[in-house]
Amino acid sequence: MKLDSLTLTHLRMPLVTAFETSFGRITHRECILVTLKSDGLTGYGECVADRDPGYCYETTGTAWHILRDFIAPLILGQDVADADDFQRRVDGIRGHQLAKAGVEMAIWDLLGKRADKSLRELLGGERTQVDVGVSIGLQASPEKLVHAVADYVSQGYRRVKIKIKPGRDAGDTSAVRAAFPNLLLQVDANSAYTLKSSAALKPLDDLDLLLIEQPLHEDDIWDHRKLQDEFKTALCLDESIVTPRHARYAIEMDACRIINIKPGRLGGLSQGVAVHNLCKSRGMPVWCGGMLETGVGRASNLALASLQGFSLPGDISASNRYYMRDITTERFTLNADSTINVPSAPGLGVTVDPSALQAFTLAETVLAPQS
Ligand code: OSB
Ligand code: MG
């Protein structure tokens, strides 16, 4: 599949509600849409890096640099056979997983459109609907948080994740648990604690949580092992698992009992599938995380989560939880059983709306092979 051009579009989109985590508060989300042209077909991918390096070191700025100056020259004008071929070509670029994953997604979209197969079929996913939940940011008070949870529960979400940080942990979580004794509930600290400050998390161990996500540093699998030893509740790693090797380290160290799979963080869908396969063979449950994706990235997450090993609900919510206006014509809606349908059209199965794209574009560059 000869790659004729690569367009980078830096987007900034208003969120329906501000999203606050332990690393910051955003009212708008940024990302880079990757558009690949090949043989008259167009493939789309979403690079999920945001403006600031709060979740991980990558930003829209670093991703733009890596995509334009290093990844594009390795693939433009080249015959790239598939995702594995792409990964071999960019293997000399250390890290920058979110940048790589954006291009890999566009390659999958092209492969699907060429073969007239959906991404779900290409990845070997069996489900046509996937179980989903909603991730709720920090709110101004525990009362407001309970209110927000009640709103999402009334919309049909059966699994809720709340963000926590030091000072806003046991109080917030026990308020939600008291109001919703039977809700599937989990928390995410986004690396806000250390072993020393983790005593504040101890009360969470008695709140019947599905999991506690990434309490400690993003590069620290070993201390998670020590913390897991002290908890009945499953720890789940997100930030720490940046390659399939890291998933193996976590499994072999008993550092967690659940893994969150995000294709962006892992450098692409192919590595998301690799972690899924590894975890399945080692009895480690996984679920699909989210990065507040547009309709493009959401379609990709739904296809990935259709694989049989995703045994817990994903952070894949309906379009109206994120964006009043999205860049895709298709909008994803929540079914009555807290599932979302997996797209079935070829590739990602979504169409990009040029006028919406234009409304959110901060910058764009079209790259072609250097002659
Ligand atoms: O840690 O899971 C996270 C959003 C941005 C960055 C990191 C995370 C999140 C979420 C939102 O929790 C999940 C979603 O897309 O709904
Ligand atoms: Mg997380």
Side-chain angles (χ1 to χ4, degrees), residues 193-203 227 231:
Y193 296 83
T194 61
L195 270 188
K196 246 192 177 141
S197 66
S198 67
L201 296 173
K202 207 63 205 147
L227 194 64
F231 277 73

Side-chain angles (χ1 to χ4, degrees), residues 20-309:
E20 183 170 342
T21 63
S22 62
F23 58 83
R25 180 176 192 272
I26 55 170
T27 57
H28 291 70
R29 176 182 178 261
E30 296 190 17
C31 69
I32 298 171
L33 183 73
V34 175
T35 307
L36 270 181
K37 301 235 169 163
S38 168
D39 250 344
L41 290 173
T42 303
Y44 295 102
E46 178 171 346
C47 167
V48 296
D50 207 335
R51 193 192 69 174
D52 298 344
Y55 168 75
C56 67
Y57 67 83
E58 289 184 79
T59 66
T60 42
T62 69
W64 188 274
H65 166 54
I66 295 293
L67 286 162
R68 182 192 58 193
D69 299 332
F70 297 100
I71 297 177
L74 290 173
I75 60 169
L76 278 174
Q78 304 293 311
D79 197 352
V80 178
D82 53 24
D84 290 344
D85 185 14
F86 167 73
Q87 291 294 343
R88 275 191 293 276
R89 289 168 193 266
V90 298
D91 194 40
I93 300 171
R94 299 278 174 248
H96 298 284
Q97 306 292 61
L98 278 55
K100 291 173 184 171
V103 176
E104 210 209 81
M105 194 190 297
I107 288 172
W108 281 108
D109 193 23
L110 281 173
L111 289 168
K113 285 168 175 165
R114 280 174 77 97
D116 202 25
K117 287 206 163 111
S118 69
L119 181 58
R120 175 181 74 77
E121 293 172 287
L122 292 184
L123 297 177
E126 292 164 39
R127 307 179 179 122
T128 54
Q129 306 184 323
V130 301
D131 283 328
V132 303
V134 61
S135 171
I136 305 178
L138 289 154
Q139 305 292 314
S141 66
E143 296 71 36
K144 292 222 162 93
L145 174 63
V146 169
H147 228 84
V149 173
D151 186 27
Y152 286 115
V153 168
S154 75
Q155 290 175 40
Y157 291 101
R158 289 196 199 145
R159 191 230 70 182
V160 165
K161 163 168 133 183
I162 62 169
K163 294 289 186 175
I164 58 168
K165 68 174 184 181
R168 299 297 306 278
D169 34 43
D172 281 35
T173 313
S174 50
V176 174
R177 179 46 88 213
F180 301 93
N182 301 315
L183 182 65
L184 298 176
L185 181 64
Q186 61 194 60
V187 299
D188 187 0
N190 289 109
S191 303
Y193 296 83
T194 61
L195 270 188
K196 246 192 177 141
S197 66
S198 67
L201 296 173
K202 207 63 205 147
L204 300 186
D205 212 16
D206 296 316
L207 295 177
D208 192 24
L209 303 179
L210 280 175
L211 58 90
I212 300 172
E213 187 175 343
Q214 197 71 36
L216 308 178
H217 288 124
E218 82 284 358
D219 60 351
D220 195 340
I221 296 177
W222 180 241
D223 278 357
H224 278 101
R225 153 62 196 258
K226 293 190 189 169
L227 194 64
Q228 179 66 88
D229 275 349
E230 294 169 21
F231 277 73
K232 297 179 292 206
T233 310
L235 297 190
C236 169
L237 292 179
D238 172 356
E239 282 89 331
S240 293
I241 309 299
V242 292
T243 70
R245 276 184 299 106
H246 290 73
R248 181 171 60 77
Y249 302 153
I251 293 168
E252 291 178 0
M253 280 189 235
D254 288 320
C256 61
R257 294 195 203 124
I258 296 174
I259 287 178
N260 164 328
I261 293 182
K262 287 181 183 171
R265 194 194 65 222
L266 288 160
L269 285 157
S270 59
Q271 328 223 85
V273 172
V275 172
H276 160 274
N277 294 344
L278 173 74
C279 289
K280 208 164 162 216
S281 73
R282 306 279 188 103
M284 171 76 71
V286 302
W287 55 285
C288 184
M291 294 288 287
L292 309 174
E293 284 86 352
T294 71
V296 170
R298 191 165 326 288
S300 166
N301 284 343
L302 286 164
L304 182 63
S306 76
L307 273 74
Q308 214 58 50

